[in-house]
Amino acid sequence: MSSPGRYVDKCLYLCTNMLYIVPTPVGNMEDVTLRALKVLKEADLILAEDTRTTGILLARYGISNRLESYHKYNEHGRLEGIANRLQAGETIALVSDAGTPGISDPGFLVVRECVRLGLEVQCLPGATAVIPATVVSGLPCDRFVFEGFLPQKKGRASRLACLAEENRTVVLYESPYRVVKTLTQLAEVAGGDRQVAVCREISKIHEEAVRGTLNEVTAHFTAHEPRGEFVIVMAGKVKD
């Protein structure tokens, strides 16, 4: 049971010299939090993975703050400038196209730089595809390992072999173009009878969770063209 003082309005005003990591919806725009909207509205600058995508969200909620790009192709070159602005007293919000920045999206490098320089960073709680997919999978979710996207070439085979021996539930991200390939390879190393749940389009209109063995789910997506963004949740190896 919650205590009466559990929920606290931590900060009525945004802090200066602060980098805010702001999760954005992975699908339904109503999944954004009130605090996220407050930060996006009041920050001096919003850094976005794709300004066009973020612009749609901002327009939905009537936010017109300054918006600049921050993505994997320019993040190294932007670190010094971002740090200088924070040191000068600005408040900056960082968002990705969907979910929480830093989780298989740009964000780690700027957070690391802020930590190195002693600058404050706050990450707001919010949307991510990992947790909903793991919870609805029907597989044990008290302990799991998140691998993000697998290497496409170098190191892929060894990573798959390692995951096949993992006793905890394994969670992966995958694109529609590689999901059948990944499921097929998982079946080869973990066995076609290993249980799996494949979730796609989380919190969107066509949200779906397909559960079964690796062989069964691979057959399903071989017969039905994969569309949308995917989360693969595979059962861990049963201990002998």
Side-chain angles (χ1 to χ4, degrees):
M1 181 179 294
S2 300
S3 62
R6 179 176 179 181
Y7 299 107
V8 179
D9 195 348
K10 183 177 180 181
C11 188
L12 295 176
Y13 305 98
L14 267 61
C15 300
T16 57
N17 307 90
M18 177 76 76
L19 174 67
Y20 286 93
I21 309 301
V22 183
T24 53
V26 297
N28 193 318
M29 285 194 185
E30 293 185 356
D31 290 340
V32 69
T33 68
L34 294 175
R35 187 177 175 213
L37 292 176
K38 176 183 176 64
V39 171
L40 294 175
K41 183 178 181 180
E42 298 181 9
D44 296 304
L45 172 67
I46 301 172
L47 298 173
E49 185 178 6
D50 187 324
T51 56
R52 295 165 299 180
T53 299
T54 300
I56 295 172
L57 176 68
L58 298 183
R60 167 71 178 271
Y61 290 101
I63 298 172
S64 57
N65 278 14
R66 184 174 178 180
L67 189 62
E68 295 182 3
S69 65
Y70 177 87
H71 46 70
K72 65 180 181 180
Y73 300 109
N74 73 358
E75 58 181 336
H76 286 87
R78 298 224 54 189
L79 293 181
E80 183 177 356
I82 293 169
N84 289 341
R85 297 180 76 151
L86 289 168
Q87 290 171 327
E90 291 193 20
T91 297
I92 298 178
L94 173 67
V95 300
S96 60
D97 288 349
T100 302
I103 306 299
S104 297
D105 278 323
F108 161 68
L109 291 180
V110 69
V111 171
R112 183 178 66 180
E113 182 67 4
C114 287
V115 171
R116 185 183 73 83
L117 295 173
L119 296 167
E120 291 293 325
V121 180
Q122 282 189 12
C123 181
L124 278 59
T128 176
V130 178
I131 301 303
T134 305
V135 172
V136 304
S137 70
L139 299 172
C141 54
D142 55 334
R143 298 173 66 245
F144 63 90
V145 55
F146 173 62
E147 284 289 314
F149 288 96
L150 291 171
Q152 292 188 37
K153 295 181 179 180
K154 185 178 180 180
R156 184 180 179 90
S158 60
R159 177 52 53 189
L160 285 164
C162 179
L163 294 177
E165 297 300 314
E166 176 61 59
N167 297 125
R168 294 167 292 181
T169 299
V170 174
V171 187
L172 308 169
Y173 283 164
E174 194 49 277
S175 79
Y177 311 107
R178 293 189 299 271
V179 68
V180 171
K181 173 185 176 181
T182 297
L183 290 169
T184 300
Q185 292 177 327
L186 285 170
E188 291 171 352
V189 297
D193 59 349
R194 183 78 67 92
Q195 290 292 311
V196 68
V198 175
C199 304
R200 70 180 189 91
E201 296 293 85
I202 291 173
S203 88
K204 298 179 183 178
I205 294 175
H206 300 293
E207 181 174 355
E208 178 184 35
V210 180
R211 305 174 182 87
T213 66
L214 278 166
N215 283 343
E216 292 168 342
V217 176
T218 301
H220 172 85
F221 285 109
T222 300
H224 301 83
E225 181 183 1
R227 293 181 179 180
E229 299 301 320
F230 285 79
V231 184
I232 300 172
V233 186
M234 183 179 72
K237 181 179 181 181
V238 178
K239 295 181 180 180
D240 298 328

